[in-house]
Amino acid sequence: METLHNPAPSLGEYVAHSWNELFDSCTRCGICVEVCPVVPFAAQIAAAPPAAVVAGVLDFMRDSGQPMRAESAAWTVQCNGCDKCIPACPEKINPRRMLMLANAEVSAKTQPTPHMFQKMARAIRILVSMQVIPEDAARLLRLKKARDVDVVFFTGCNPVRTPQLLFNAMTVLDALGVNYEVMGGPASCCGVIHSKWEGDLQRGGKVSEQTLHRFGTFKPKKVLNWCPSCNIHLTETIKDYRSVEFDFDHITKFLIEREDQLRQLFTTPVNERVIVHTHHGMHQVGQDVLRLLRAIPGLTIVEELEEPGYMCGVSSAERAPALKAHVRAQTIERCRQGGVDALVSLYHACHRQLAADGKAHGFRVVNFTDLLVRALGLEPCADTLEPFRGRTDYREIVREATPLLEANGIDMDPDELAKVLPEIFAMAEWKGGLCSFAPQE
């Protein structure tokens, strides 16, 4: 029997090679720290020379046997992925990528989020099962049999917590007559949880490779992603780790390429005045959303509010909590001033947070996909998290959700589920919590 040999490097080898390139290219000038919007809101970083902050990261990666300098560790951990450092770098390296790779090593050494993927996968299945019927849950979570399609719609893992946004996006793809299949949920993870958050490059590399391979089995021309964390991980942090035969784009770029067709399909005016929430770290996605919304008859965009990071939530904006709180207060105050009908959210995490803020402060929040579906003359999918938002009687929530939970095969003691629901809603696994979902050792 002939022995098969795969010359492709492991993710560990790929990352080691990437660091060697960074060591050779980075001059430790500190400009990336100087332009970082997190620094003015983090006294420990601000007090240190910018060049020393960068040097601390590189020194740690050369010899991770010693702890990273405190100011460098703070900068690494608080990187929200805003990307302002990328065009500022005179050596044309990508400091955001550098810190994503550094965070993987920090996680490997300190284990701040142990067993995160296992906790997250179980939490996602429960939360989805509380919201949708089995047929819809299967469409979001189950692996599909390979078939030839033009497009794979890749939802990622965490976006399925807000299923209505994804089904809205599918409604638009259906209206365009796209031949597509859906891949998503923990069974189709991009690998960022294992690599960056658990620090397990061996497992993370295998997960990423497996998902890329599964994309290929559908022979798509394009894979359209929703989640910005997946996008950054696959197209930036581990770019070219494995070669593929398809283009990988955000779904909004795909829709912009079909703008003329959409304008013909947008037959229903949406007579509202809106503020649009975007993120600097995914600037082009925000601009594409604005362009799509401007194609809707009757809709008036009053202004754009661009927040730092590439998304709301624990994977991006919340990594720099002081900056996040400062900017979010401004967003809330603007929305409370009135003169608009709604704030338009961008990503899944954005919608979850802003919808809660809107409920607390008296303004309405819709997602951009809601408006696209309305312009098609159709009814957007209901926000199935809304009935649970802001409530604290978790036993009552469990009683209300029991029919769907049972239909979706979730067999868990109601009292135990009620006890853990606050952590599920808070996505506590991202901060080392949800320990009851960890394997018993």
Side-chain angles (χ1 to χ4, degrees), residues 117-118 120-122 124-125 137-144 154-158 160 182-191 193-194 203 206-215 218 230:
F117 180 79
Q118 185 167 340
M120 181 192 76
R122 190 175 177 192
I124 286 173
R125 183 166 179 247
R139 193 171 189 197
L140 294 174
L141 298 174
R142 285 186 190 168
L143 293 174
K144 314 298 191 305
F154 177 46
T155 68
C157 295
N158 285 288
V160 301
V182 180
M183 280 185 61
S188 300
C189 181
C190 71
I193 302 300
H194 310 82
R203 189 171 175 216
K206 290 179 179 178
V207 170
S208 298
E209 183 173 19
Q210 178 177 264
T211 295
L212 291 170
H213 172 74
R214 283 177 178 158
F215 291 155
F218 291 89
C230 297

Side-chain angles (χ1 to χ4, degrees), residues 66-88:
Q66 298 297 320
M68 192 184 294
R69 297 174 197 168
E71 63 273 15
S72 304
W75 187 53
T76 300
V77 171
Q78 292 196 55
C79 174
N80 63 15
C82 75
D83 92 353
K84 287 193 173 183
C85 54
I86 298 174

